Amino acid sequence: MRRGASMRILVLGAGALGGYFGGRLLEAGAELAFLVRPKRQAQLRERGLVLRCPATGELRRPVTALTAAELRPGWDIVLLSCKAYDLEAAIDSLRPVVGPETAVLPVLNGLSHLDRLREAFGAGAVLGGLAKIRATLNPAGEVINLSDWRYLTLGELDGTMTPRVTRFAELARQGGILAEAVPDIRGAMWAKLVHLGTVAAATVLLRGSTGQIARAPGGTAFLLTLLERNMAIAAHHGHPVPAGFAEEYRALLSDPAGTYTASMLRDLESGGRIEADHILGHLLQAAGEAGVDPSLHAIAYLHAKTYEQRRAEEKAA
């Protein structure tokens, strides 16, 4: 990475997550481009990037939007913000541009993508990362942050605190992102998987928000049992969740007024693709490895995979 130079960042995708973080990094002074499909490229070239957030206000600005055929090497960081089921396509697009000095920062859900990225680009190229944001892309192509969440956590997978992670985190904070570079990024990613896997499994299986489930007979007990099993899985794999995390999510899941749903449920109800294998399937396998009762994970995964079969048949009809 060039000392003293502007950080060159390529963001794969300009949807809800990539568009928000990319826009804020641009405001901080990054030399940044978005890797997008032709339809999104045309939209961004015509209207620019528009994002709205309760905490950082409205942003409207022209941006550089490239298709895969237009990419060239020379990037310091590639921010990988695609869905997990698009990982292989993303790897193919990035092969020509990830050089020996390029770091790949994925903020995908789950953990299985780390091994695949390290296989594709080398262990030293891949960082760990996670995002916490409630954002959506409206029909006009505008990025709408639905809350003041705008968290981005990253780190080296070997636990060292290198200039590339600390410099990126500082740049992100300058843009209004609540960013942090941490030594135990794997632990942070496991904590997110515990949280996401619990809410995704419950809301997809029962088709309601956490509050609606909690108000149903036996709903709170179901949510807390699922949470405890996921925490046991993480602990077995060497990443017990912090006590404060456990208390926070027990309270969240027990709240009868809660309105929390997983993005997987929203994707499912809109007829879209879902990350069944990368979240629910991963936890089901991990439960078996940990000797944790897998029954709740198995039924949630079966439910999601049955939806995928139905969706495939309906699209083929």
Side-chain angles (χ1 to χ4, degrees), residues 58-296:
E58 182 174 300
L59 170 67
R60 292 176 178 266
R61 62 173 297 159
V63 297
T64 300
L66 306 173
T67 62
E70 299 170 307
L71 285 180
R72 298 293 182 271
W75 305 97
D76 297 316
I77 298 275
V78 173
L79 179 61
L80 198 58
S81 63
C82 62
K83 290 286 191 178
Y85 47 68
D86 284 329
L87 179 62
E88 290 303 320
I91 289 172
D92 289 341
S93 296
L94 294 175
R95 286 190 190 279
V97 300
V98 175
E101 300 300 321
T102 306
V104 179
L105 171 57
V107 287
L108 284 67
N109 290 323
L111 290 157
S112 57
H113 60 276
L114 293 177
D115 288 340
R116 181 67 188 96
L117 287 168
R118 286 158 65 93
E119 176 187 335
F121 301 118
V126 182
L127 306 175
L130 62 95
K132 183 179 178 183
I133 185 171
R134 293 178 61 194
T136 188
L137 197 67
N138 71 15
E142 300 170 337
V143 178
I144 311 298
N145 191 348
L146 303 173
S147 73
D148 61 358
W149 288 5
R150 56 199 191 280
Y151 297 94
L152 186 61
T153 306
L154 71 151
E156 299 283 355
L157 293 172
D158 64 3
T160 58
M161 295 295 286
T162 59
R164 64 182 182 179
V165 296
T166 56
R167 184 180 171 194
F168 183 90
E170 175 58 29
L171 180 68
R173 287 192 292 269
Q174 292 172 13
I177 299 169
L178 301 177
E180 183 181 12
V182 299
D184 184 19
I185 188 60
R186 287 186 184 272
M189 293 175 71
W190 263 106
K192 181 180 179 181
L193 182 59
V194 167
H195 154 225
L196 178 61
T198 300
V199 177
T203 63
V204 165
L205 184 59
L206 301 178
R207 299 296 182 93
S209 68
T210 55
Q212 291 164 342
I213 297 170
R215 295 196 301 271
T220 298
F222 173 87
L223 289 166
L224 294 181
T225 297
L226 189 55
L227 176 65
E228 295 296 332
R229 290 182 184 179
N230 283 332
M231 290 194 296
I233 292 169
H236 173 83
H237 286 84
H239 299 283
V241 301
F245 171 96
E247 293 172 7
E248 177 185 355
Y249 282 98
R250 287 189 188 104
L252 183 151
L253 296 173
S254 302
D255 181 6
T259 59
Y260 193 11
T261 61
S263 60
M264 188 185 294
L265 175 62
R266 297 192 293 274
D267 291 340
L268 185 150
E269 291 185 330
S270 67
R273 295 178 71 185
I274 60 173
E275 298 174 313
D277 291 320
H278 312 89
I279 301 172
L280 304 180
H282 183 83
L283 279 169
L284 175 59
Q285 179 180 341
E289 294 167 352
V292 171
D293 183 349
S295 55
L296 298 182

